[in-house]
Amino acid sequence: MDPTSLSFDIRKDDMPEEMRILLSEYPREMWETHPGFKEMTKNWLGAHQIFRRLADLLRQDAEAVLDRVIEPEEYAPRLYRFGNALVGSLHGHHAWEDHEYFPELSAADPRFVRGLEILEKDHETLDQVLSAFIDVGEKAVEVAGDDDIKLRDAVGTLHGITEAIEALLDRHLGDEEEIAVPIILHYRLRG
């Protein structure tokens, strides 16, 4: 894969204000103390934190290889393990959101359908980024320990992809949480 051909259309715009109407009534600081904040919502937010940590770990590992802090033989199994964990978990999580969670939120408050459509487009972009991550990650694992130049090229590309994953998750998960949790609290869903 040519590293110069990789570019991803990561949304930079804030969600429209009408999608964030309930956030002023239910600000992030009070979520956990609200009586409608149940275990399912806590677990959903916890999964988001795991995704953020895995993406950060994968970026840091790529940097460690590029800085020659860790050896390729140590990096390859970590990339395989944590990369598979991130990709598999994100795909499963987003499939569940698209087919079950988002329709439930849309049915609860139709004003948020447009915001949820934006989030679903983020999922499409994330699929593209993860596909590139898988392709380049497989190449990195394949050449680890055998060809330092090819490994460093692959890891350099992978580093850019992990930065894209972090940027996308930062934008997407933050917006998703600030739309979904106020709906959940307001309508007492997921309890």
Side-chain angles (χ1 to χ4, degrees):
M1 179 173 289
D2 177 12
T4 60
S5 70
L6 292 177
S7 69
F8 306 103
D9 186 23
I10 297 173
R11 179 175 55 85
K12 293 180 179 43
D13 298 332
D14 289 336
M15 283 294 222
E17 281 305 310
E18 64 268 18
M19 301 302 109
R20 300 166 47 95
I21 285 172
L22 289 175
L23 184 61
S24 62
E25 192 175 334
Y26 302 95
R28 189 179 282 266
E29 306 80 54
M30 60 80 62
W31 291 352
E32 290 189 30
T33 60
H34 188 279
F37 189 80
K38 303 291 184 190
E39 197 67 28
M40 290 178 76
T41 303
K42 184 178 179 178
N43 291 340
W44 178 72
L45 291 170
H48 285 187
Q49 286 306 102
I50 291 169
F51 303 148
R52 289 174 174 114
R53 283 196 298 268
L54 282 169
D56 178 63
L57 177 98
L58 289 162
R59 180 191 43 78
Q60 288 183 32
D61 277 3
E63 290 170 358
V65 169
L66 295 171
D67 294 339
R68 299 187 189 279
V69 173
I70 65 173
E71 295 296 321
E73 294 79 14
E74 182 183 350
Y75 174 66
R78 289 177 60 83
L79 173 61
Y80 183 80
R81 177 179 174 203
F82 297 120
N84 277 338
L86 179 65
V87 171
S89 296
L90 279 171
H91 280 312
H93 183 81
H94 288 144
W96 171 76
E97 285 178 340
D98 289 343
H99 295 101
E100 292 185 36
Y101 200 44
F102 287 175
E104 178 184 356
L105 296 175
S106 295
D109 194 324
R111 294 176 299 173
F112 292 90
V113 171
R114 184 168 165 235
L116 298 176
E117 287 171 356
I118 293 169
L119 295 173
E120 288 176 357
K121 287 185 181 182
D122 286 349
H123 287 178
E124 292 171 15
T125 302
L126 184 60
D127 285 344
Q128 295 167 357
V129 176
L130 293 178
S131 179
F133 176 82
I134 291 166
D135 290 344
V136 177
E138 287 175 348
K139 288 183 173 104
V141 168
E142 184 180 305
V143 299
D146 293 335
D147 190 324
D148 189 57
I149 293 171
K150 286 183 181 177
L151 174 65
R152 292 180 69 69
D153 286 347
V155 173
T157 302
L158 208 51
H159 181 263
I161 295 170
T162 59
E163 288 180 322
I165 291 171
E166 284 185 305
L168 180 54
L169 290 178
D170 183 55
R171 164 96 276 166
H172 173 75
L173 296 177
D175 285 343
E176 184 176 83
E177 292 163 1
E178 290 183 352
I179 291 175
V181 174
I183 294 173
I184 291 166
L185 299 178
H186 188 75
Y187 294 100
R188 302 289 177 113
L189 303 175
R190 308 250 120 221

